[in-house]
Amino acid sequence: VIPGEEPHITALRALNELKEKNLWQQGKTKEYYTYLSDILRVYIEGRFGIQAMELTSDEIIRIFQIDILGIAR
């Protein structure tokens, strides 16, 4: 992460780097999805201020539903 860089720029750069690794093409699907998940979590932290790296996917979804989208369960 480059200090001061917009979260979407950081995410796009990281996605391009992931693409260049060709993990999917090498059959390394678990590693590919781990990197992809980390890229998305870093983006969510930078864009929305949610500590996504410390949360489960279900917790992130719940925070989006309640806090960001205003959808009560």
Side-chain angles (χ1 to χ4, degrees):
V1 177
I2 299 172
E5 185 175 62
E6 293 291 327
H8 68 280
I9 301 297
T10 301
L12 289 171
R13 185 172 31 79
L15 287 169
N16 282 328
E17 290 171 5
L18 177 60
K19 181 180 177 183
E20 290 174 7
K21 290 182 182 205
N22 292 318
L23 297 174
W24 182 268
Q25 294 82 348
Q26 298 172 34
K28 298 179 180 179
T29 53
K30 183 175 181 176
E31 191 174 347
Y32 173 83
Y33 282 114
T34 297
Y35 277 111
L36 183 59
S37 177
D38 287 348
I39 292 167
L40 292 172
R41 288 170 185 271
V42 168
Y43 170 75
I44 290 168
E45 283 190 10
R47 172 62 176 86
F48 299 101
I50 297 170
Q51 298 299 312
M53 295 299 280
E54 309 300 323
L55 300 171
T56 66
S57 296
D58 286 339
E59 291 170 327
I60 294 169
I61 291 168
R62 193 171 341 115
I63 289 170
F64 267 102
Q65 289 174 331
I66 295 169
D67 295 345
I68 295 174
L69 299 175
I71 301 170
R73 282 194 169 219

